[in-house]
Amino acid sequence: MTFLPIGKMAAPVGAVQPLVQYLVLRGDLARAPFSWPLGALVAQGCHAAIAALHVHRDHPNTEAYLQDLGSMRKVVLEAPDEAALMALAETLKQNNIDYMLWLEQPENIATCIALRPYFKGEVNTHLRKFKLLK
């Protein structure tokens, strides 16, 4: 069996990478002075994820992702604050990465970015600095 490097991991030649939907949620919203409840933060991620899937529903990756509901993969990362989230939005825009920035209304607070489904190797360079949300 032959292995090719993919990021920091190796995969067998011919192995298909799964599609992943990445979400980047503001971690500071869970801490003072905001102190949003866990449910409110989860809802922001859900809103962003569904909106990204809807907006990009005709993209072949999104169609493929939605064909196998039992194998959906999501990775939820943490942006430390609004500035980091907005900087990521600008980076994604500059690199033609499809995403949805969720703004909580009526306050107009940027809470989460959700990408349409991508293969990990297509977007991981733009998301490397973000850690898993805890």
Side-chain angles (χ1 to χ4, degrees), residues 21-25 48 52 56 77 79 83-102 112-116 118-130:
Q21 186 177 28
Y22 289 92
L23 287 83
V24 183
L25 191 62
H56 301 289
L77 304 170
L85 191 72
M86 298 311 289
L88 174 61
E90 185 58 32
T91 297
L92 296 174
K93 182 178 178 181
Q94 290 175 358
N95 288 278
N96 297 313
I97 304 295
D98 295 331
Y99 70 95
M100 183 74 186
L101 172 65
W102 189 258
C112 186
I113 286 176
L115 280 61
R116 70 158 169 80
Y118 277 94
F119 295 106
K120 182 178 179 181
E122 294 179 289
V123 295
N124 63 348
T125 57
H126 307 297
L127 302 172
R128 257 191 200 126
K129 68 180 179 180
F130 300 101

Side-chain angles (χ1 to χ4, degrees), residues 40-110:
L41 292 176
V42 171
Q44 299 305 302
C46 292
H47 292 323
I50 292 169
L53 292 172
H54 179 71
V55 168
H56 301 289
R57 66 188 170 274
D58 295 327
H59 191 281
N61 282 7
T62 305
E63 290 177 350
Y65 183 78
L66 294 172
Q67 287 300 310
D68 192 4
L69 297 178
S71 295
M72 287 182 167
R73 292 179 185 218
K74 287 189 177 33
V75 174
V76 183
L77 304 170
E78 178 179 349
D81 54 28
E82 184 179 20
L85 191 72
M86 298 311 289
L88 174 61
E90 185 58 32
T91 297
L92 296 174
K93 182 178 178 181
Q94 290 175 358
N95 288 278
N96 297 313
I97 304 295
D98 295 331
Y99 70 95
M100 183 74 186
L101 172 65
W102 189 258
L103 300 173
E104 177 61 9
Q105 298 299 327
E107 301 89 350
N108 211 37
I109 297 172

Side-chain angles (χ1 to χ4, degrees), residues 25-27 31 38 41 76-79 131-134:
L25 191 62
R26 281 181 53 190
R31 298 181 288 276
L38 179 60
L41 292 176
V76 183
L77 304 170
E78 178 179 349
K131 304 294 183 209
L132 289 174
L133 179 69
K134 292 184 181 183

